[in-house]
């Protein structure tokens, strides 16, 4: 018998909550090392420890062929010129791709090929899909003035590997210039 409670969940666009899924919260202190502008990071942290984002994940089953999904909600804001962002990760099972779909707000994704380091920026907006291929580090940023919410769907066996990014960070940084997100090499900041 199918357990429908485990298979159905409802997203509340007003709050970014997903029924039946307990959200994980990430605050500024959890993202030490992610922002390139360390002085701006320390100054913001000294002034408080704001909530940067929440992710509510649903894991209906863990079999081969199953899918997991989550709704992320990133607050609007900046540290220096860098937008509030997620930690970013590779999938522990590297071939796992992911499908992102924008729900509310204006965002961008930074995608970096693990083998070549090649980077690109993809807009994440309501009704826009972003396909994150396997072997690709991904980080999401809120480039707008209201909360950015999005859906991410990935293979159940994908897993999250935060270690590689925590060690070397992304090669590129996304900054807001004249109100627009611009991608630049970290060492050219
Ligand atoms: C997403 C991410 C979500 C939060 O559901 O987990 O955007 O980002 P971090 O996991 O990097 O903190 C996803 O990509 N899952 O695989
Ligand atoms: Zn992912």
């Amino acid at each position: 018998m199918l357990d429908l409670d485990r298979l159905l969940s409802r997203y509340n666009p007003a709050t970014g909550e997903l029924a039946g899924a307990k959200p994980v919260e990430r605050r500024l202190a959890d993202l030490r090392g992610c922002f390139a502008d360390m002085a701006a990071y320390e100054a913001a942290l000294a002034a408080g420890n704001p909530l940067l984002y929440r992710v509510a994940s649903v894991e209906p089953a863990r079999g081969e062929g199953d899918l997991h999904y989550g709704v992320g909600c990133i607050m609007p804001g900046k540290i220096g010129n860098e937008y509030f962002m997620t930690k970013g990760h590779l999938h522990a099972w590297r071939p796992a791709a992911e499908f992102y779909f924008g729900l509310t707000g204006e965002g961008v994704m930074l995608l970096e090929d693990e083998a070549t380091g090649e980077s690109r920026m993809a807009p994440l907006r309501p009704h826009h899909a972003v396909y994150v291929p396997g072997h690709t580090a991904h980080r999401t940023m809120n480039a707008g003035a209201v909360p950015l919410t999005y859906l991410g769907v990935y293979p159940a066996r994908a897993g999250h590997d935060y270690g590689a990014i925590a060690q070397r960070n992304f090669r590129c940084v996304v900054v807001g210039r004249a109100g627009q997100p611009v991608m630049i090499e970290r060492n050219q900041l």
Side-chain angles (χ1 to χ4, degrees):
M1 259 284 263
L2 287 179
D3 178 351
L4 273 184
D5 284 343
R6 285 184 70 201
L7 300 179
L8 301 177
S9 56
R10 199 161 43 82
Y11 164 66
N12 181 338
T15 62
E17 286 171 323
L18 196 59
K22 192 174 177 305
V24 171
E25 292 195 344
R26 301 278 184 221
R27 294 182 171 272
L28 189 59
D30 300 316
L31 271 81
R32 178 163 290 283
C34 294
F35 293 92
D37 186 341
M38 283 304 291
Y41 176 82
E42 296 299 351
L45 201 53
N49 186 20
L51 175 70
L52 299 194
Y53 65 99
R54 278 194 201 99
V55 193
S57 304
V58 182
E59 304 184 349
R62 294 183 172 274
E64 200 183 349
D66 282 317
L67 296 172
H68 288 176
Y69 61 97
V71 169
C73 176
I74 308 179
M75 304 305 151
K78 275 182 174 178
I79 300 298
N81 291 322
E82 297 165 88
Y83 300 109
F84 281 7
M85 63 172 83
T86 60
K87 283 187 168 191
H89 59 269
L90 284 146
H91 292 144
W93 181 49
R94 292 292 197 270
E98 182 161 356
F99 173 82
Y100 270 75
F101 194 70
L103 300 173
T104 66
E106 289 277 321
V108 284
M109 292 190 74
L110 178 60
L111 307 179
E112 180 180 304
D113 183 289
E114 186 179 26
T116 64
E118 196 184 325
S119 303
R120 69 186 173 89
M121 210 173 49
L124 185 62
R125 300 195 186 104
H127 306 169
H128 279 224
V130 177
Y131 184 79
V132 180
H135 304 273
T136 304
H138 44 291
R139 166 174 278 166
T140 309
M141 283 143 286
N142 185 342
V146 298
L148 170 76
T149 63
Y150 54 92
L151 169 72
V153 186
Y154 45 97
R157 64 178 281 201
H160 294 84
D161 174 4
Y162 294 100
I165 290 303
Q167 244 177 22
R168 62 170 167 76
N169 217 327
F170 282 73
R171 191 179 279 199
C172 289
V173 174
V174 176
V175 292
R177 286 200 179 148
Q180 291 302 314
V182 177
M183 185 177 79
I184 51 177
E185 296 269 338
R186 182 171 298 271
N187 57 20
Q188 302 199 332
L189 202 67

